[in-house]
Amino acid sequence: MRRIVKSIRHPFFIVLAALLTSCGGQDPASDDVYRKVDELFDSVFTGTPRFKVIAEIDHSRLAAAEGEVMPPARVIIFSDAAVNIPILQLEPRAGLDLPFRVLAYAENDTARITYTTTDLLQRRYGLEFGPELQRYQDQLLKAVAPISEDAIVGLDASRVGEGMGIVTLNSEHDFDQTIGRLKDAILEESDTVWFGEIDYQREAADIGVDLPPLKLLLWGAPVPGAKAMREFPRMGLDAFCQKTLVYQPPGESVLVMFNDMPAFAKIHYGESALSHHVIARRMKKTLAGAVQGDP
C-alpha cells in the first residue's frame, strides 16, 4: 500500500511513532540505545527553532512497522532560504545536498550524530569556500551546538570528488510534466512513502532572488531502506529518504538528478553491499522510465 506523508510532525505520525516504540520487529539493540538516539535527535530539534523543519523521519520505527529490523536511526531535515539560495546561485545542482540534514543513529550500540559537512559541498560541487559556505557552516554548527563533541561523527569527505555519486537523467518532458511523472512512478511502487518536496525557485522568489526551475522531491521505501542501512546506518543521512532533484537550466532540457547508493556507502564506509546496488538499479529504472518514456 502506497503512503503519502507531507510531514512526520503530522499528529497521525506522532501517534504512529508512539505505537511503534512498543511494537515488535525493532532492532535487538537495548531500549537504552533507542532512548539515547531519541535524546540526541531531540537535542538537535531544540537547536533548530529559527529554521523551517521540512521532515522528521524515524527510519527504524517506520521499518519496524513493516516487520524489518535495523538499528535506531532518525533524521531531521530543516531549511533556511537565506542559507540555501546563495549556494544555489553558485551551483543549482547543490540542491541535491541541501537543505540541512542531521542524523541521530546507533552503531555498535552507541548513539551518534552525523551531518552533511561544508567540505562535502565544496568537493562534490567544485565550490570555493566563501561567505555562502561560511554561513552554511555557521548555521549548522548552531543547530548541533547542544550535542557533545564526543557524540558527533564527522563525515570524511576525502573520498569525494566533483560530481561523485550524482546520477543525471535527461527528461523528455517539460518541468511540470517531469515532476508529475516522477511522482506517479514513485507512488506506483508498492512500498514507497512520500515525505514532501522543496521548491527552491519559490524559496528564492520569496527573498527577491531569481532561480531557474529547481525542485527537490523527498520520498523513501522503508523495507529496502532498512535492508540497506542495517550494516550501514550512517547512510540514513543521504539515502533514505531518497532525494530527487529536478532542474531546468536556462534554455536547456530538464535534468533529473539523484544519489547513487553504492557511491554513498563508499563515502561513509569505504565499501558497499549488494543491497545498495539492487536499490540503485531499481531507482534508475523507475526514474528513467518516468522521464524518458512516451507522453
Side-chain angles (χ1 to χ4, degrees), residues 151-183:
I152 296 174
V153 175
L155 191 157
D156 181 5
S158 63
R159 302 185 182 100
V160 179
E162 187 167 348
M164 180 178 177
I166 300 175
V167 182
T168 302
L169 304 172
N170 288 288
S171 177
E172 298 175 2
H173 309 279
D174 67 27
F175 187 82
D176 289 337
Q177 288 175 329
T178 297
I179 297 289
R181 291 174 68 90
L182 286 169
K183 284 185 178 180

Side-chain angles (χ1 to χ4, degrees), residues 19-291:
L19 292 172
L20 292 181
T21 301
S22 60
C23 78
Q26 289 185 346
D27 181 81
S30 67
D31 291 342
D32 186 53
V33 174
Y34 270 92
R35 179 182 58 79
K36 289 179 179 177
V37 168
D38 288 343
E39 287 176 354
L40 285 179
F41 183 90
D42 290 342
S43 294
V44 175
F45 191 81
T46 63
T48 62
R50 67 175 302 277
F51 299 101
K52 177 182 179 182
V53 175
I54 305 300
E56 304 168 47
I57 303 168
D58 192 323
H59 296 299
S60 48
R61 291 186 176 106
L62 284 174
E66 304 296 333
E68 289 293 330
V69 174
M70 62 170 287
R74 300 177 67 183
V75 67
I76 182 170
I77 303 171
F78 52 101
S79 187
D80 181 349
V83 173
N84 297 336
I85 302 310
I87 296 174
L88 294 174
Q89 288 180 287
L90 296 175
E91 176 50 80
R93 292 169 179 82
L96 191 59
D97 279 302
L98 296 172
F100 298 110
R101 298 185 310 285
V102 179
L103 176 73
Y105 69 102
E107 193 161 26
N108 300 321
D109 288 343
T110 302
R112 294 282 188 247
I113 284 281
T114 192
Y115 48 79
T116 303
T117 62
T118 307
D119 194 22
L120 181 136
L121 292 174
Q122 280 187 266
R123 291 172 178 268
R124 203 178 192 205
Y125 300 102
L127 299 174
E128 296 290 334
F129 189 89
E132 300 86 1
L133 291 182
Q134 182 69 63
R135 183 174 178 83
Y136 174 92
Q137 181 171 282
D138 291 345
Q139 296 300 91
L140 178 60
L141 292 179
K142 287 180 183 178
V144 299
I147 308 298
S148 63
E149 290 188 9
D150 60 357
I152 296 174
V153 175
L155 191 157
D156 181 5
S158 63
R159 302 185 182 100
V160 179
E162 187 167 348
M164 180 178 177
I166 300 175
V167 182
T168 302
L169 304 172
N170 288 288
S171 177
E172 298 175 2
H173 309 279
D174 67 27
F175 187 82
D176 289 337
Q177 288 175 329
T178 297
I179 297 289
R181 291 174 68 90
L182 286 169
K183 284 185 178 180
D184 289 345
I186 290 166
L187 292 173
E188 281 174 4
E189 302 289 331
S190 62
D191 56 357
T192 52
V193 178
W194 188 263
F195 295 117
E197 57 192 61
I198 302 172
D199 189 334
Y200 289 125
Q201 186 184 44
R202 181 176 297 174
E203 266 196 357
D206 287 343
I207 60 173
V209 175
D210 290 329
L211 275 184
L214 186 66
K215 186 174 286 191
L216 185 69
L217 311 181
L218 304 170
W219 56 282
V223 172
K227 296 180 188 299
M229 288 177 61
R230 193 167 291 146
E231 302 298 328
F232 298 77
R234 287 200 300 274
M235 287 187 66
L237 178 67
D238 301 294
F240 310 99
C241 65
Q242 309 286 8
K243 296 171 294 176
T244 304
L245 185 69
V246 185
Y247 167 47
Q248 185 165 20
E252 299 183 28
S253 62
V254 176
L255 303 177
V256 175
M257 288 167 279
F258 55 95
N259 288 327
D260 177 64
M261 296 301 101
F264 264 90
K266 290 176 181 177
I267 289 172
H268 286 288
Y269 290 95
E271 61 180 344
S272 61
L274 176 61
S275 59
H276 305 142
H277 293 269
V278 171
I279 291 172
R281 287 194 294 269
R282 175 183 169 184
M283 280 187 64
K284 188 170 184 179
K285 181 179 179 181
T286 297
L287 301 182
V291 302

